[in-house]
């Protein structure tokens, strides 16, 4: 199974990606996590993306596409994966389809966790990550609406979009996802 979970920070996509990975015994590919680790380690990638992540802006598509390509070439992804936070732009979505075609793989479903703006802000502020200050959270929501929302239409058109009410309890959300995927 190859699945992307789409939603802004605070939508619960990290939690749900983890649960779905465990349920299906396949790895999670969390781009936010990879970037945060790179920043912490001070690597070249980390230095390159630090300002974007800290300000709630998207990292450049070129950087992200290379990062995902490298990750999908690793052996543990051969049997499937759950992507958390990728793709986030129309360009990334299209490039992902090209890359998967090249690898002989196919995206089964894109899951959209629908959560109201008020809930998103509250949930993000309840955490204590350094990129979770109010202005950054609001900026990330705005960026999601401007850059990521359009790709929902892309997946809808391809009949691959699965809309899930993300305002249920974490267990409720995961049950709806399993049901929607038939797993
Ligand atoms: P997340 O934990 O998924 O909310 O990601 C945290 C931050 O990492 C985002 O606010 C972006 O700055 C960056 N990021 C994560 N995934 C992507 C992506 N697919 N494209 C661009 N930037 C990303």
């Amino acid at each position: 199974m190859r699945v992307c979970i789409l939603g802004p920070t605070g939508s619960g996509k990290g939690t749900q990606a983890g649960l779905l990975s465990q349920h299906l015994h396949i790895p999670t590919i969390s781009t936010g996590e990879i970037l945060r680790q790179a920043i912490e380690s001070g690597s070249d990638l980390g230095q390159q993306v630090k300002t974007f992540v800290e300000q709630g802006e998207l990292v450049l598509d070129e950087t992200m596409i290379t990062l995902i390509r490298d990750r999908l070439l690793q052996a543990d992804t051969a049997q499937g994966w759950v992507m958390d936070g990728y793709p986030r732009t129309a360009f990334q979505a299209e490039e992902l389809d090209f890359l998967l075609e090249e690898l002989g793989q196919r995206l089964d479903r894109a899951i959209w966790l629908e959560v109201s703006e008020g809930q998103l802000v509250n949930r993000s502020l309840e955490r204590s990550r350094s990129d979770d200050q109010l202005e950054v959270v609001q900026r990330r929501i705005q960026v999601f609406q401007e850059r990521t929302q359009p790709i929902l239409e892309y997946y809808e058109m391809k009949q691959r979009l699965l809309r899930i009410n993300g305002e249920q309890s974490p267990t409720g959300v995961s049950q709806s996802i399993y049901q929607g995927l038939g797993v």
Side-chain angles (χ1 to χ4, degrees):
M1 176 82 61
R2 296 180 178 88
V3 178
C4 294
I5 303 193
L6 313 170
T9 318
S11 62
K13 68 184 161 52
T15 305
Q16 293 304 326
L19 291 170
L20 186 58
S21 282
Q22 276 176 15
H23 185 72
L24 297 173
H25 307 287
I26 50 178
T28 302
I29 301 177
S30 166
T31 46
E33 207 50 54
I34 296 172
L35 297 174
R36 279 188 291 276
Q37 276 171 13
I39 293 170
E40 214 164 293
S41 74
S43 65
D44 285 350
L45 172 68
Q47 291 176 25
Q48 209 181 315
V49 303
K50 192 170 190 283
T51 319
F52 294 103
V53 174
E54 284 176 352
Q55 295 180 352
E57 300 296 332
L58 292 184
V59 170
L60 301 180
D61 280 338
E62 290 70 20
T63 309
M64 296 310 300
I65 288 161
T66 308
L67 186 151
I68 279 294
R69 165 179 283 275
D70 290 349
R71 186 65 189 88
L72 287 183
L73 289 175
Q74 290 172 27
D76 65 319
T77 62
Q79 301 310 317
W81 35 258
V82 179
M83 279 188 193
D84 158 19
Y86 194 91
R88 260 185 162 91
T89 66
F91 191 54
Q92 290 179 11
E94 284 170 5
E95 286 293 320
L96 179 63
D97 277 343
F98 293 140
L99 173 62
L100 293 179
E101 201 178 309
E102 195 184 311
L103 297 174
Q105 300 182 0
R106 187 179 182 279
L107 180 71
D108 295 295
R109 292 291 230 164
I111 301 171
W112 178 22
L113 296 183
E114 291 185 273
V115 178
S116 70
E117 197 167 328
Q119 277 258 1
L120 288 173
V121 174
N122 288 341
R123 287 189 192 176
S124 291
L125 295 180
E126 275 165 17
R127 307 189 304 198
S128 54
R129 246 169 44 189
S130 61
D131 60 342
D132 282 337
Q133 289 117 11
L134 182 61
E135 310 83 77
V136 178
V137 168
Q138 283 172 332
R139 178 62 191 148
R140 281 200 307 245
I141 293 172
Q142 191 186 7
V143 167
F144 179 83
Q145 288 165 346
E146 287 172 10
R147 309 283 308 277
T148 310
Q149 208 103 282
I151 71 178
L152 302 175
E153 286 160 32
Y154 174 80
Y155 287 125
E156 194 141 51
M157 227 171 54
K158 296 192 164 229
Q159 300 185 327
R160 273 187 267 166
L161 190 68
L162 177 62
R163 288 166 189 264
I164 298 288
N165 170 7
E167 299 204 357
Q168 311 168 76
S169 66
T171 318
V173 174
S174 59
Q175 291 307 323
S176 304
I177 293 177
Y178 302 162
Q179 205 173 15
L181 295 177
V183 295

